[in-house]
Amino acid sequence: MFPSHPFDADHWRDRGLDDDKLREECGVFGVTGVADAANFVALGLHALQHRGQEAGGIVSHDPAHGFNSARRFGYVRDSFTKQSLMRTLPGPLAIGHVRYSTTGSKGNTQIRDVQPFFGEFSLGGAAIAHNGNIVNALELRRELIDRGSIFQSSSDSECIIHLMARSLQKKVPDRMQDALRRVEGAFSIVAMTRTKLIGVRDPLGVRPLVLGRLGDEGWVLSSETCALDIIGAEFVREVEPGEMVVIEHGEVQSHHPFAPRRPRFCIFEHVYFSRPDSILGGRSVYETRRQIGVELAREAPVEADLVCPVPDSGTPAAIGYSQESGIPYAMGIIRNQYMGRTFIEPTEQIRNMGVRLKLNVNRALIRGKRIVLVDDSVVRGTTSVKIREMMLDAGAAEVHFRIASPPTAWPCFYGVDTPEREKLLAASMTEEQMCVHLGVDSLRFISLHGLYRAAGEAAGRDPAEPQYCDACFSGDYPIAPTDRMDQGFRMKEPAA
């Protein structure tokens, strides 16, 4: 997403400092062919809430009432469950979007930035919801403004609407194809016209998008399969990288408007972003994460008394580590399920309390024990330090960290909220130095090869042709981040 001033480079240096986890920035969902489609979209967005908690929006179309939209800050359950609101979104066709703020503060988000975006063209209206990030958006925005476009939001996604408006094609799907051929970066898009539900993935398929069937006549597009389950829809297949599906009158048409490329799906979807009850690439996310723990136990064994997850994202990997190592699994840390996002509080004192407000150590279990803590990642390390302090305060004899991803040493430019590279612990420290910095008895990350094996690639990572986008670990960017390079970012030099 853009800052309020799209050319303010200082924004990029500040983003991500309010939290110590990488955050997916968007989830998209669309339904057609059912009565009151917006109700199904609200349920689907609720299931995708983990992909964005800052705000959400729904656009629907009804032949008698035309297009209607609602955009709200906060959780879906609080914003889109009131019947009085949902009655304003009638019709058999609707799309929706949940958004994560890059700064963690609603005060820095304008309601005009909340998707889906809507535009009126000479051929009729269209709405669009976008998951991902356009890496040449600043360049496109300058060009469009120079040609007279007037932007209503600070979002990169609005560029697509303006490019569609300038296309000379006669049909909205063709205009969208025109627009997306100008776009560089990652995009999974759910869009709608008066009669069509449209889904598109970028040629590399960086972000997920799936197709589902609802009843006899309904069709669904979703970021993840878990959102199909909540409305009782049947998973049909993934939208292929570089594919556009157009659904109208119960029929699904498939188009491939982009030159074919070797897919590079985001491997961090397997590690953290997607819900564990989703299916990615035909694989259970839960099983992949459990297998990560198995690989981690093989690569980084340690003598200990208990294996404990850092909840909730570390739980499947901790189970796998316990099963492979034979060390008993235990809930040594308990999460307060009813705690809000404390990192939005304005004072440093409250922010420092955040981890203790969300997590509490099971003292009776931990006292005197050698503990293996399994977490999904280490970003800036601030949360890891606080958890180590909590464990030692509770009487742990030893604290060993095992991390279910390789060191995060490079920022992501494809739709993930990542600190600048100088804020990433692994960008300036070796594994041994990080161990000393965190003050733990040992620290080990899963290797990139081990992560690939856990994701189903038996031979590990092929450096010549990586099967996934793993730029945050390797610095190997499959799409050059044009805008950021213009601002001075330098990619990793290729190996000789």
Side-chain angles (χ1 to χ4, degrees):
M1 299 297 178
F2 283 100
S4 297
H5 191 299
F7 312 125
D8 181 5
D10 289 338
H11 165 83
W12 303 109
R13 287 193 289 273
D14 294 336
R15 68 183 295 187
L17 301 185
D18 291 319
D19 202 11
D20 195 27
K21 290 289 183 185
L22 302 183
R23 299 290 184 182
E24 237 293 356
E25 290 182 11
C26 297
V28 295
F29 196 82
V31 176
T32 186
V34 297
D36 297 320
N39 286 302
F40 290 94
V41 171
L43 288 169
L45 294 180
H46 177 70
L48 297 173
Q49 191 78 84
H50 59 288
R51 301 184 75 89
Q53 300 90 47
E54 182 66 27
I58 298 175
V59 173
S60 72
H61 183 270
D62 179 72
H65 301 91
F67 286 95
N68 292 279
S69 68
R71 294 183 283 180
R72 298 289 188 274
F73 289 119
Y75 293 122
V76 174
R77 70 186 182 206
D78 299 325
S79 302
F80 293 100
T81 56
K82 297 181 177 65
Q83 287 301 314
S84 58
L85 172 63
M86 298 310 293
R87 280 196 294 269
T88 68
L89 297 167
L93 176 58
I95 65 172
H97 184 274
V98 285
R99 177 183 190 272
Y100 171 71
S101 169
T102 58
T103 61
S105 172
K106 185 165 62 179
N108 292 321
T109 300
Q110 302 291 329
I111 196 68
R112 61 194 174 97
D113 294 326
V114 180
Q115 299 186 42
F117 292 131
F118 175 78
E120 284 282 4
F121 307 122
S122 59
L123 302 173
I128 183 171
H130 168 216
N131 172 214
N133 197 53
I134 300 171
V135 298
N136 66 331
L138 293 179
E139 176 185 308
L140 290 173
R141 190 179 179 106
R142 291 188 185 102
E143 174 190 322
L144 288 163
I145 289 173
D146 287 345
R147 293 185 177 183
S149 294
I150 300 174
F151 280 75
Q152 300 298 313
S153 78
S154 61
S155 170
D156 57 350
S157 309
E158 192 181 351
C159 290
I160 300 171
I161 288 285
H162 286 280
L163 290 169
M164 289 173 63
R166 290 185 171 275
S167 171
L168 299 179
Q169 297 296 323
K170 300 300 183 183
K171 297 180 180 180
V172 170
D174 296 332
R175 289 186 175 217
M176 183 175 292
Q177 291 181 26
D178 258 6
L180 294 178
R181 289 189 184 106
R182 294 285 318 278
V183 164
E184 300 171 9
F187 53 84
S188 282
I189 289 172
V190 171
M192 60 180 282
T193 67
R194 290 171 294 183
T195 60
K196 298 179 177 68
L197 177 64
I198 303 168
V200 196
R201 282 181 82 186
D202 69 77
L204 296 182
V206 177
R207 306 253 72 86
L209 189 65
V210 300
L211 176 68
R213 189 72 187 260
L214 182 60
D216 295 332
E217 299 181 3
W219 290 93
V220 185
L221 290 167
S222 173
S223 289
E224 292 184 40
T225 61
C226 65
L228 303 179
D229 298 336
I230 197 173
I231 63 170
E234 175 190 359
F235 171 60
V236 176
R237 64 177 178 88
E238 294 186 357
V239 176
E240 298 174 7
E243 181 185 15
M244 170 184 282
V245 295
V246 180
I247 306 169
E248 185 175 23
H249 305 310
E251 298 294 327
V252 180
Q253 294 184 348
S254 174
H255 307 270
H256 290 81
F258 310 106
R261 297 182 63 184
R262 185 168 46 81
R264 294 286 295 274
F265 182 65
C266 171
I267 200 166
F268 217 89
E269 291 277 359
H270 285 289
V271 174
Y272 177 71
F273 295 138
S274 295
R275 262 178 45 168
D277 50 336
S278 285
I279 304 294
L280 294 177
R283 291 180 59 84
S284 158
V285 174
Y286 173 87
E287 181 55 29
T288 296
R289 291 177 187 169
R290 190 196 68 82
Q291 192 62 35
I292 288 173
V294 171
E295 293 286 342
L296 192 53
R298 293 170 180 168
E299 292 184 350
V302 65
E303 291 187 6
D305 301 306
L306 295 175
V307 175
C308 302
V310 176
D312 292 313
S313 54
T315 300
I319 291 171
Y321 193 101
S322 172
Q323 291 172 340
E324 179 66 18
S325 67
I327 302 172
Y329 171 90
M331 294 298 293
I333 300 176
I334 307 301
R335 174 178 288 276
N336 179 358
Q337 300 291 344
Y338 303 99
M339 190 63 229
R341 290 173 297 152
T342 57
F343 63 85
I344 70 171
E345 296 292 346
T347 68
E348 187 67 24
Q349 181 181 9
I350 296 298
R351 277 196 293 267
N352 288 336
M353 291 173 58
V355 173
R356 292 183 180 271
L357 289 171
K358 293 179 179 180
L359 303 174
N360 191 49
V361 175
N362 189 345
R363 290 176 173 268
L365 184 70
I366 293 302
R367 188 177 296 113
K369 300 292 197 312
R370 298 169 298 174
I371 305 299
V372 179
L373 282 178
V374 181
D375 203 356
D376 61 86
S377 61
V378 173
V379 182
R380 292 184 295 127
T382 53
T383 300
S384 300
V385 169
K386 292 170 185 175
I387 290 174
R388 181 262 298 163
E389 292 173 350
M390 291 166 57
M391 299 299 287
L392 293 179
D393 288 346
E398 296 176 6
V399 178
H400 303 270
F401 267 103
R402 294 296 180 267
I403 309 302
S405 63
T408 304
W410 296 85
C412 174
F413 303 123
Y414 309 135
V416 178
D417 185 37
T418 317
E420 287 297 309
R421 188 158 193 257
E422 59 265 24
K423 304 296 183 182
L424 296 169
L425 208 62
S428 59
M429 293 185 185
T430 65
E431 190 173 81
E432 292 76 16
Q433 289 170 331
M434 282 189 278
C435 181
V436 173
H437 175 79
L438 299 178
V440 292
D441 291 280
S442 71
L443 169 69
R444 291 290 302 276
F445 295 80
I446 192 170
S447 69
L448 200 48
H449 283 298
L451 178 57
Y452 269 69
R453 287 193 296 268
E457 302 294 337
R461 182 183 191 268
D462 181 350
E465 292 188 348
Q467 300 92 324
Y468 290 95
C469 176
D470 53 30
C472 55
F473 306 132
S474 66
D476 177 8
Y477 290 95
I479 309 163
T482 304
D483 292 335
R484 298 302 302 277
M485 293 177 72
D486 289 345
Q487 294 174 348
F489 176 79
R490 291 293 176 263
M491 294 197 299
K492 183 179 178 180
E493 293 293 332

